Amino acid sequence: VVVASGGSALQSIIFSDTSTKLIIMTQRKLHNWGCFNGQVGALGYRPVFVCGTTRDDLNNKHANYEISIKDLKHALADGPQAS
């Protein structure tokens, strides 16, 4: 299981087996995720997004956000795993 905040460092997931469960914590308004999802999806990964409440301007690409512990626990317990 990899749990990480959204960002370019997640590209290193390609060095993990596609069965690795990837949980991405991020703000609700996703920025530039089409490229990331396309790449990892084509390789067989199925990331789970846990979107938090933004504390800044929603359009801020690097906004501060808070993740619900309940949502994170749900993603860890029940989120889909890559196949």
Side-chain angles (χ1 to χ4, degrees):
V1 175
V2 173
V3 179
S5 182
S8 60
L10 288 173
Q11 294 293 340
S12 62
I13 192 70
I14 65 169
F15 298 107
S16 297
D17 190 271
T18 56
S19 66
T20 301
K21 187 175 193 175
L22 175 59
I23 300 173
I24 302 171
M25 301 179 293
T26 187
Q27 64 197 61
R28 293 207 183 276
K29 185 172 182 180
L30 303 178
H31 297 270
N32 302 324
W33 285 99
C35 292
F36 177 79
N37 283 335
Q39 293 167 0
V40 297
L43 293 172
Y45 298 94
R46 299 292 177 256
V48 175
F49 290 87
V50 179
C51 297
T53 304
T54 304
R55 296 177 12 177
D56 296 330
D57 177 8
L58 186 60
N59 293 313
N60 182 351
K61 187 175 183 178
H62 300 288
N64 290 321
Y65 58 90
E66 295 177 348
I67 298 292
S68 160
I69 295 298
K70 178 183 169 187
D71 291 345
L72 183 57
K73 285 181 178 180
H74 175 75
L76 284 164
D78 301 323
Q81 187 165 348
S83 56

